[in-house]
Amino acid sequence: MPSNAGRAVVLAVTLLVGACAPPGTEDAAVRLVDDPALPPPEVSVSPPPPLRGEPLWTAPFTSEPKAAGSMFIGVAQGSAGERLRFLAVDAEGRTRWAAERDPECTGFAIAHDPRDGSEPVVLLDKEKDPEGGLLATVTTASAFDPDDGGRVWGPVDVPGTLVGPGLIFAAVQGSVMSDRTGPKVALDPATGSVIADEERGETPLHEYRGMVLTRSADTLRTIDSTGGTLWEHTDLEIPPLWEEPGVRVGPGPRPTDGATAAVALEWTSEADGILGYSVHDLATGHLLLTLAESRTPVLLDAGRGRTVAVASPVDEPESRYAFRLDDAGEAPVRLGRVEDDERPRALVASTLYLAGEGSYRALDVRTGEAGERWRDAREPPVAALEDGPAIMGVETTDRARVFTALATDRTR
């Protein structure tokens, strides 16, 4: 049961967001507000690197937010079943816009517009279906400018919730925890138009900046927003170690935190099963890494088109390293070794957080500099603005769990 402090924070959020705001938007889907920052919580644990100083303000979110543009975007919800409130909170902790949504529409994504590098926020909603009867609804997706809440595109009908990576949607069969989905579609982050539709014979697997990795009965390929082919699997050179009869290539593991500019593929043979993995630039198919089958690679988005991979190279199958993958024409940068008991927990503010047995370690993905392990209750942050603070979950002195903002080494 939440403490009095925890209930107070939720109540404050509800009052602030529910307060009347001056008119300023013509879009009923989003309401402009200017709610002040909540006071910082009282905590007894010092922040992990590169966070520093005392808490700046309490973030009005009830689940982990994401960073987009100059805002933190996240959900505030009271009791289960109440309508969701998506909030946009700036670097000073002020809530700038809010959007109410159906309580089933918890999924949201930060898209990547290839035209200007902007990051529209894609929200779902439930709307009445006039063709389906009195209680029938359809799910729609709309994109909004993170800085001012202006609509970028939508609403667009989608078959169900966000399943990713990127703007891929599907109806989830059974419970929300099910891995089974109905037909998928991929949307263009710039316009909301459909790029790939499984019902047309091609299953979308990964969307990033309007490029979509797809799979059909006999082809694995990447297409652009017009449906034109960028590359397909027959263009890929078979790694020399795996040149054997009957070798096949298919989609590899998904990235752990959204969409990435690189994709992992899995190489198999009928005789030996999994031979290994390769990582390719999504736009060109250029080979970035060739990896051993001993450990499944983990891919994370490092921002600005960069990807971090934690994986075992083919020449050291018993070891794991973190690699930074930049542009397709540049060689991967080996950042440092990852121990057997460590797993990637988060990549925030150019810092990769590795979780071990009861401990954490920070690895700077810009320089490869590794920090010492810490074993206290400090959690890694969950989101950070480009030149602003980071958000992390903390336990207050009266044992309520809230999100708070702390300065980083890049905070102005």
Side-chain angles (χ1 to χ4, degrees):
M1 179 177 293
S3 69
N4 290 334
R7 285 193 293 269
V9 169
V10 172
L11 177 60
V13 170
T14 303
L15 292 174
L16 285 170
V17 175
C20 293
T25 177
E26 298 178 358
D27 195 333
V30 168
R31 183 164 53 89
L32 297 183
V33 296
D34 188 14
D35 296 332
L38 298 174
E42 293 185 5
V43 298
S44 58
V45 176
S46 59
L51 279 60
R52 54 184 170 81
E54 298 295 321
L56 302 173
W57 37 270
T58 297
F61 305 118
T62 52
S63 60
E64 294 184 0
K66 301 176 182 179
S70 63
M71 298 286 170
F72 292 107
I73 309 295
V75 173
Q77 185 180 28
S79 303
E82 290 185 3
R83 286 184 65 80
L84 300 176
R85 291 185 174 91
F86 285 92
L87 308 178
V89 178
D90 67 17
E92 305 302 320
R94 301 188 73 88
T95 302
R96 297 300 187 176
W97 57 265
E100 282 200 357
R101 289 294 185 271
D102 185 278
E104 294 183 12
C105 297
T106 56
F108 71 104
I110 308 303
H112 302 274
D113 191 326
R115 300 172 300 181
D116 56 9
S118 61
E119 299 177 317
V121 180
V122 178
L123 306 181
L124 297 174
D125 203 1
K126 294 276 190 180
E127 299 181 0
K128 290 183 179 179
D129 181 4
E131 298 180 0
L134 184 63
L135 300 179
T137 60
V138 294
T139 302
T140 62
S142 299
F144 301 90
D145 186 304
D147 296 328
D148 60 20
R151 190 186 292 267
V152 178
W153 51 258
V156 174
D157 289 357
V158 291
T161 191
L162 273 158
V163 295
L167 297 189
I168 298 180
F169 304 80
V172 177
Q173 300 174 10
S175 72
V176 294
M177 299 301 290
S178 173
D179 290 331
R180 295 177 299 153
T181 63
K184 298 178 180 179
V185 301
L187 299 186
D188 183 350
T191 64
S193 60
V194 174
I195 301 174
D197 185 341
E198 187 170 358
E199 291 192 326
R200 299 175 189 166
E202 202 163 21
T203 303
L205 302 175
H206 185 128
E207 181 280 321
Y208 181 79
R209 291 185 177 175
M211 300 173 290
V212 183
L213 177 68
T214 69
R215 178 178 55 189
S216 61
D218 55 1
T219 303
L220 186 71
R221 67 172 183 151
T222 292
I223 60 177
D224 61 20
S225 59
T226 69
T229 299
L230 297 174
W231 58 269
E232 57 184 60
H233 74 275
T234 54
D235 300 325
L236 303 177
E237 180 182 354
I238 300 175
L241 291 174
W242 307 329
E243 287 182 331
E244 59 179 79
V247 65
R248 297 185 299 270
V249 63
R254 294 159 50 102
T256 63
D257 63 344
T260 51
V263 292
L265 302 181
E266 180 182 277
W267 296 80
T268 60
S269 74
E270 208 169 299
D272 301 317
I274 297 177
L275 301 172
Y277 303 92
S278 57
V279 180
H280 300 259
D281 182 274
L282 181 62
T284 65
H286 179 78
L287 177 64
L288 301 172
L289 286 172
T290 306
L291 305 170
E293 84 285 358
S294 52
R295 290 183 176 88
T296 303
V298 177
L299 270 59
L300 305 100
D301 179 34
R304 298 185 177 182
R306 299 174 303 174
T307 303
V308 167
V310 177
S312 300
V314 287
D315 55 346
E316 294 185 61
E318 300 307 315
S319 301
R320 280 195 308 163
Y321 294 91
F323 297 89
R324 190 183 74 238
L325 311 176
D326 298 321
D327 294 333
E330 299 181 18
V333 178
R334 185 178 292 198
L335 298 170
R337 182 159 181 166
V338 176
E339 301 300 330
D340 289 342
D341 69 334
E342 293 179 324
R343 67 186 187 281
R345 171 69 182 272
L347 178 50
V348 178
S350 297
T351 303
L352 174 63
Y353 291 92
L354 299 166
E357 294 296 331
S359 67
Y360 293 106
R361 185 166 64 95
L363 179 66
D364 191 321
V365 302
R366 297 167 297 183
T367 65
E369 181 180 355
E372 297 293 327
R373 290 195 184 198
W374 70 86
R375 294 185 175 276
D376 55 36
R378 290 177 287 173
E379 296 183 18
V382 298
L385 297 179
E386 184 69 26
D387 295 309
I391 299 289
M392 66 175 287
V394 296
E395 187 176 276
T396 64
T397 52
D398 61 355
R399 303 188 71 79
R401 190 175 189 277
V402 299
F403 292 99
T404 189
L406 293 106
T408 73
D409 57 6
R410 296 188 299 174
T411 303
R412 292 176 177 176

